[in-house]
């Protein structure tokens, strides 16, 4: 309530949705409630990171359009990011291909680590957020994508 100006009822519902998100049931959390929280809360300053892992086939499909100047989103879902590079790498190491996305200029994603007991320095991105690819550095099984958050979000 204090951070967002929500009513007590809104704050309780939002907190319940964040708990669903933190509990590993992100696919059941209410996207509209999470997006509203992100819109109301202040953006996390500094760099943020997202760790992802893929099979070889998934990686090829993901990377198909990833090149400097391209736009990327998270398929209309909220996404978890972190302010800690090592935490992102830990999330990336469970697949054949490990990817870390480094956002050098976050504009809207909100810090949520103060609401979570996970200790992951978590930052939550809006479901309609987009990022512009600045660069790609590919290794044998490890890729780093550098992005900046785009000014406009995906259209609904």
């Amino acid at each position: 309530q204090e951070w967002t100006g929500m009513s007590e009822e809104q704050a309780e519902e939002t907190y319940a949705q964040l708990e669903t998100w933190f509990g590993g049931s992100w696919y059941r959390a209410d996207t509209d409630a999470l997006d509203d929280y992100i819109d109301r809360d202040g953006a996390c300053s500094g760099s943020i990171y997202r760790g992802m892992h893929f099979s070889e086939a998934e990686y090829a499909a993901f990377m198909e359009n990833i090149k400097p100047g391209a736009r990327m989103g998270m398929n209309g879902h909220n996404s978890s990011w972190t302010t800690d590079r090592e935490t992102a790498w830990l999330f990336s190491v469970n697949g054949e291909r490990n990817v870390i996305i480094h956002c050098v200029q976050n504009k809207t994603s909100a810090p949520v680590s103060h609401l979570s007991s996970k200790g992951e320095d978590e930052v939550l991105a809006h479901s309609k957020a987009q990022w512009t690819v600045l660069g790609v550095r590919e290794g044998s099984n490890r890729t780093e994508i550098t992005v900046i958050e785009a000014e406009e979000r995906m259209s609904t």
Side-chain angles (χ1 to χ4, degrees):
Q1 260 180 296
E2 185 179 320
W3 298 308
T4 63
M6 291 179 176
S7 69
E8 185 175 342
E9 184 179 317
Q10 285 175 306
E12 287 176 7
E13 176 57 27
T14 299
Y15 188 75
Q17 294 306 317
L18 285 164
E19 284 294 304
T20 299
W21 180 270
F22 299 138
S25 297
W26 62 268
Y27 52 91
R28 286 192 292 167
D30 183 326
T31 300
D32 291 337
L34 297 179
D35 284 347
D36 184 47
Y37 175 81
I38 294 162
D39 287 339
R40 291 170 178 258
D41 195 30
C44 177
S45 61
S47 290
I48 60 173
Y49 307 88
R50 178 167 169 78
M52 303 172 76
H53 57 271
F54 301 96
S55 68
E56 288 293 340
E58 292 167 334
Y59 176 78
F62 176 77
M63 293 298 293
E64 190 173 313
N65 296 311
I66 303 295
K67 57 186 175 251
R71 281 282 173 85
M72 63 184 293
M74 296 296 156
N75 298 320
H77 298 289
N78 296 101
S79 54
S80 288
W81 295 67
T82 179
T83 57
D84 182 56
R85 181 184 193 83
E86 290 304 311
T87 298
W89 276 119
L90 289 173
F91 274 92
S92 76
V93 296
N94 293 324
E96 296 171 42
R97 297 296 303 219
N98 310 323
V99 174
I100 187 168
I101 303 171
H102 175 196
C103 179
V104 295
Q105 189 175 5
N106 174 52
K107 297 177 182 170
T108 64
S109 299
V112 292
S113 60
H114 59 291
L115 299 170
S116 171
S117 61
K118 300 292 184 194
E120 298 168 348
D121 300 308
E122 190 168 359
V123 177
L124 190 59
H126 198 282
S127 66
K128 293 177 177 61
Q130 294 188 92
W131 296 268
T132 301
V133 176
L134 300 176
V136 178
R137 198 173 75 220
E138 282 189 276
S140 59
N141 72 338
R142 196 165 144 159
T143 299
E144 183 164 344
I145 303 167
T146 305
V147 300
I148 186 170
E149 189 175 351
E151 292 293 331
E152 65 279 346
R153 292 185 175 153
M154 294 182 336
S155 60
T156 55

